[in-house]
């Protein structure tokens, strides 16, 4: 089963609005990370939040983590057309068999 | 500081052929990860190499293989190519411990015809 499921699958907003994307996962995690991907390009790391953290900020980004609900949210404030991209959450469980498991992503379109 | 670099950026192969994709991690990173991103399927974990050893492997057939060299660069080999192998292959690296941020390259686009 997919560890890291983002919703919505697609989100279209106007420039200046806030965008919220959610991620749910099934098993316990060590870290949760958010990445963005412009069409057909590599992934760019946005923010990492550890399982013992509840909220982190980075510029216009705010990430929350609720381990009791196995969910995370990414908020982008005052969105810009350049924020148009796919956003992925990725989780890891740490340990010797470490791997980062991605969801299928949310496609965000910010209309000018 | 140079990021993760991958080559080639694009390539077209015929069914049944073999392909080798290359990845150079960020300087100081000892772990290399390979992911496959097929259209509409999200990122699927392929392989994790650390200090020259294969540490973990995703749910892919044995015709997907790779290795990591002493300088920590890595190759991904795919034998007996099938049409469904057409995808963006992404390499990523990080420094230990394994929970640190993973940094991705721009990927290699493989089209199998």
């Amino acid at each position: 089963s997919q560890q890291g499921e983002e919703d919505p699958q697609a989100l279209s907003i106007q420039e200046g609005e806030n965008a919220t994307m959610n991620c749910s996962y099934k098993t316990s995690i060590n870290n949760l990370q958010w990445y963005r991907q412009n069409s057909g390009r590599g992934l760019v790391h946005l923010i990492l939040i550890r399982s013992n953290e509840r909220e982190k900020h980075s510029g216009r980004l705010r990430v929350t983590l609720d381990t009791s609900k196995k969910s995370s949210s990414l908020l982008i404030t005052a969105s810009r057309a350049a924020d148009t991209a796919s956003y992925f959450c990725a989780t890891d469980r740490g340990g010797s068999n470490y791997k980062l498991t991605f969801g299928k992503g949310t496609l965000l379109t910010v209309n000018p | 500081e140079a990021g993760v670099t991958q080559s080639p950026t694009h390539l077209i192969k015929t069914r049944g052929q073999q392909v080798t994709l290359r990845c150079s991690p960020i300087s100081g990173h000892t772990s290399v990860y390979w992911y496959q991103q097929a259209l509409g399927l999200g990122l699927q974990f392929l392989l994790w190499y650390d200090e020259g050893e294969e540490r973990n492997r995703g749910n892919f057939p044995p015709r997907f293989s790779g290795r990591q060299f002493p300088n920590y660069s890595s190759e991904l080999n795919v034998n007996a190519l099938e049409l469904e192998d057409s995808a963006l292959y992404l390499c990523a690296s990080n420094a230990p411990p394994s929970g640190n941020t993973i940094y991705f390259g721009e990927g290699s686009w493989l089209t199998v015809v």
Side-chain angles (χ1 to χ4, degrees):
Chain A
S1 59
Q2 190 72 273
Q3 171 82 330
E5 301 273 354
E6 295 91 341
D7 80 88
Q9 290 186 332
L11 178 61
S12 182
I13 60 174
Q14 296 300 124
E15 235 177 358
E17 293 181 339
N18 295 340
T20 299
M21 289 160 272
N22 302 299
C23 168
S24 60
Y25 55 92
K26 293 181 171 61
T27 63
S28 61
I29 63 169
N30 190 39
N31 302 300
L32 186 145
Q33 304 184 49
W34 284 92
Y35 288 82
R36 69 173 272 167
Q37 183 182 37
N38 287 8
S39 180
R41 305 291 299 277
L43 276 74
V44 175
H45 180 261
L46 296 176
I47 199 162
L48 179 152
I49 187 165
R50 302 198 186 277
S51 59
N52 61 354
E53 297 175 314
R54 293 296 167 259
E55 186 172 314
K56 283 189 86 168
H57 295 82
S58 177
R60 294 184 295 114
L61 306 180
R62 173 179 171 254
V63 168
T64 62
L65 178 64
D66 187 334
T67 53
S68 67
K69 296 181 179 177
K70 293 186 170 57
S71 68
S72 173
S73 68
L74 171 67
L75 168 67
I76 303 175
T77 60
S79 63
R80 305 165 182 167
D83 294 329
T84 294
S86 291
Y87 291 81
F88 295 87
C89 72
T91 59
D92 76 82
R93 301 182 66 182
S96 58
N97 288 328
Y98 176 86
K99 72 175 184 182
L100 204 57
T101 303
F102 286 82
K104 292 187 178 180
T106 293
L107 176 59
L108 172 66
T109 302
V110 181
N111 301 299
Chain B
E1 180 182 295
V4 177
T5 57
Q6 293 186 244
S7 64
T9 54
H10 295 81
L11 70 166
I12 300 174
K13 290 286 189 177
T14 304
R15 276 181 64 185
Q17 284 188 315
Q18 179 264 345
V19 68
T20 297
L21 307 178
R22 295 176 176 82
C23 172
S24 292
I26 291 172
S27 176
H29 288 188
T30 61
S31 279
V32 169
Y33 307 82
W34 287 95
Y35 284 82
Q36 181 197 66
Q37 187 178 27
L39 200 60
L41 290 182
L43 281 86
Q44 303 295 318
F45 170 75
L46 269 165
L47 290 159
W48 169 32
Y49 291 97
D50 182 60
E51 296 285 357
E53 300 285 331
E54 182 181 300
R55 303 293 187 186
N56 201 359
R57 181 182 179 86
N59 189 25
F60 281 83
R63 58 191 185 83
F64 286 84
S65 65
R67 55 181 173 166
Q68 186 179 33
F69 299 98
N71 67 353
Y72 304 115
S73 66
S74 176
E75 284 182 351
L76 174 68
N77 299 294
V78 188
N79 294 323
L81 284 167
E82 300 178 1
L83 296 178
E84 51 265 34
D85 296 334
S86 295
L88 177 66
Y89 288 85
L90 291 162
C91 173
S93 73
N94 73 347
S98 59
N100 284 345
T101 298
I102 290 179
Y103 297 90
F104 282 81
E106 290 295 320
S108 293
W109 276 105
L110 171 65
T111 302
V112 182
V113 298

